[in-house]
Every structure is written in structure tokens, then in C-alpha cells.
Amino acid sequence: METKKKRVKIHKIESNTALYSHFGWKYSASEEARPDSTVLLVLERDKKDFGRDYGKIKDLERQYESIEKVSPIAALVTAGIGVVLYIAYFFTRPTFEYYIAFLYLALTFFAIAALLLANMIILLISKKKLLKSILNDAGLLSGAIRLFPLKNNILEEKENTWMIRNNFDN
């Protein structure tokens, strides 16, 4: 049995429980409310309930949480390194023989920062669709969305499986 603890606002208990139920988590308990109107939500899930799909569900949960927390920090850090290298280019011109290396490194870091920023913008634009798709996939695998039978509940096909239907066809 696996447990997960998450601090949430009191009015978001139901929405968080519903969200994490797509990944197979079930509400277990919650502690008393704090003065800042938050509560510690305790969720549980049993690995055995999902069989071979447990790893996929866990990966989808990681993807969901990483896409949900998209931020421009990587782009800003790389751009900052590029600025420092660009400044080093100007200060080392008179004294350092290979000062041009700082310019090339600065331009490389600026290009990487631009790519990271473009990636983040594309991710922010398609974030809603991606999160919905991940929740749908995880819900189907965990059984939270019951459109199809769970793979673990489907018996393997044998030679007598379609016997009744074959008798009607004759």
C-alpha cells in the first residue's frame, strides 16, 4: 500500500481527491485544519490493483505534475549565464587573448535560452489539452473512467471462449 500526503486548501479537498483518483489514489484521511485554512490530505493506493499498468500510471502521474508546474526558470538561468559571459567578453578584450570564446559561449547560451523559452510557450499553449489527455489515459488504466473493462479483468481467449456464439451461427 502506497500513501501520499498533500497539503491543500479546505475548499479544494474534493477537487484534489477527484483529480488524484484518476491515478488510482483513494481518499484515506485528513488532518485537522490549520489557521491558514489548509489541511493535510492523505491518499492511498494499492499497487496490486493495477497489475502491469502500475508503472504506466505512475509515469503519467509524474508527467501530469511536471507539466502542471511549467515555469521559465531554466530559460531565465540560461539567459543569465549568457549575459554574464557577454559581459566577460567585453571585460577580457584587452587582457585575454582568447576573449572571443566568451562571445561564442554567450551566443550559445542565448540560443539555448530562446529554445527553452519557445518550448515553454508551446507547452503553456497546449497545457490544457495535454493535462486532459494524461488524465484520460491514467483514468482508463486505473479504472477511474469505466468506459472499457480493465485489462486485468479480461480473461485470456481460449478455444472454448466463443463456443456459444459458434453454436448460434450453425
Side-chain angles (χ1 to χ4, degrees):
M1 189 69 96
E2 222 180 340
T3 59
K4 180 178 195 148
K5 296 179 181 180
K6 188 161 179 80
R7 183 150 306 278
V8 295
K9 296 277 187 186
I10 292 175
H11 66 277
K12 291 188 176 185
I13 291 175
E14 289 178 23
S15 62
N16 274 299
T17 305
L19 170 75
Y20 283 103
S21 70
H22 286 276
F23 301 107
W25 293 101
K26 294 176 183 155
Y27 175 81
S28 174
S30 58
E31 293 182 356
E32 291 183 25
R34 285 184 159 186
D36 62 348
S37 70
T38 61
V39 71
L40 187 67
L41 188 64
V42 181
L43 303 166
E44 290 182 346
R45 94 174 143 193
D46 194 6
K47 298 176 186 179
K48 297 174 188 172
D49 291 345
F50 311 114
R52 289 176 268 148
D53 294 331
Y54 175 73
K56 294 176 188 174
I57 293 169
K58 199 167 184 173
D59 287 341
L60 287 170
E61 185 178 0
R62 266 190 241 117
Q63 285 177 9
Y64 183 87
E65 289 173 350
S66 67
I67 290 174
E68 195 176 42
K69 296 178 183 176
V70 173
S71 67
I73 292 175
L76 293 174
V77 168
T78 0
I81 293 171
V83 167
V84 168
L85 289 170
Y86 194 63
I87 292 170
Y89 162 73
F90 283 112
F91 280 116
T92 58
R93 267 177 99 169
T95 58
F96 188 55
E97 189 174 331
Y98 300 106
Y99 67 93
I100 196 75
F102 288 118
L103 180 64
Y104 289 133
L105 285 172
L107 292 175
T108 303
F109 273 94
F110 286 141
I112 292 171
L115 287 173
L116 288 172
L117 193 62
N119 259 351
M120 190 203 67
I121 290 170
I122 290 170
L123 199 56
L124 283 175
I125 291 170
S126 60
K127 181 178 178 178
K128 198 172 188 178
K129 290 179 186 175
L130 285 171
L131 292 177
K132 189 175 180 181
S133 171
I134 289 172
L135 278 178
N136 188 37
D137 292 347
L140 288 174
L141 289 174
S142 70
I145 300 174
R146 301 191 194 287
L147 297 177
F148 305 103
L150 287 174
K151 292 178 185 177
N152 300 334
N153 295 337
I154 299 174
L155 297 175
E156 218 175 290
E157 188 173 328
K158 298 177 182 171
E159 65 181 65
N160 295 335
T161 302
W162 301 101
M163 189 172 228
I164 295 174
R165 182 175 174 210
N166 292 340
N167 288 338
F168 284 125
D169 289 341
N170 291 333

